[in-house]
Amino acid sequence: MPVISKYDKQFDQLLSELEAVMDKHLAPADLRLMVLGNLATHIINTQINPGQRKAIADKFAKVLTSSVDTQKGAH
């Protein structure tokens, strides 16, 4: 997903810490995605104005979909 430059340092630190927690718990990919999905839902439901939630969720889904590398064999 795209990273806004004003958050680069903080983004890298948070991503590294989240990955470390997932690694510590030996979480497989499906569990990692379930946790991240539930976290995204929680953030949208608790930190976004109710009138904007669907639009934000739709945009998030579109950005996620467009950021997935669909080339064969890519990791």
Side-chain angles (χ1 to χ4, degrees), residues 28-42:
D30 59 340
L31 178 56
R32 291 173 190 236
L33 291 170
M34 288 169 37
V35 169
L36 293 172
N38 282 358
L39 180 57
T41 300
H42 175 75

Side-chain angles (χ1 to χ4, degrees), residues 8-28:
D8 278 352
K9 185 176 180 179
Q10 190 176 18
F11 176 88
D12 290 341
Q13 183 178 359
L14 283 170
L15 182 61
S16 178
E17 290 177 22
L18 289 169
E19 287 177 331
V21 169
M22 300 284 195
D23 290 345
K24 176 183 172 186
H25 291 276
L26 304 173

Side-chain angles (χ1 to χ4, degrees), residues 28-64:
D30 59 340
L31 178 56
R32 291 173 190 236
L33 291 170
M34 288 169 37
V35 169
L36 293 172
N38 282 358
L39 180 57
T41 300
H42 175 75
I43 292 167
I44 290 169
N45 283 334
T46 61
Q47 297 184 24
I48 303 296
N49 181 312
Q52 296 178 310
R53 290 178 186 163
K54 179 160 179 12
I56 294 292
D58 288 342
K59 186 172 183 177
F60 183 84
K62 286 179 184 177
V63 170
L64 177 61

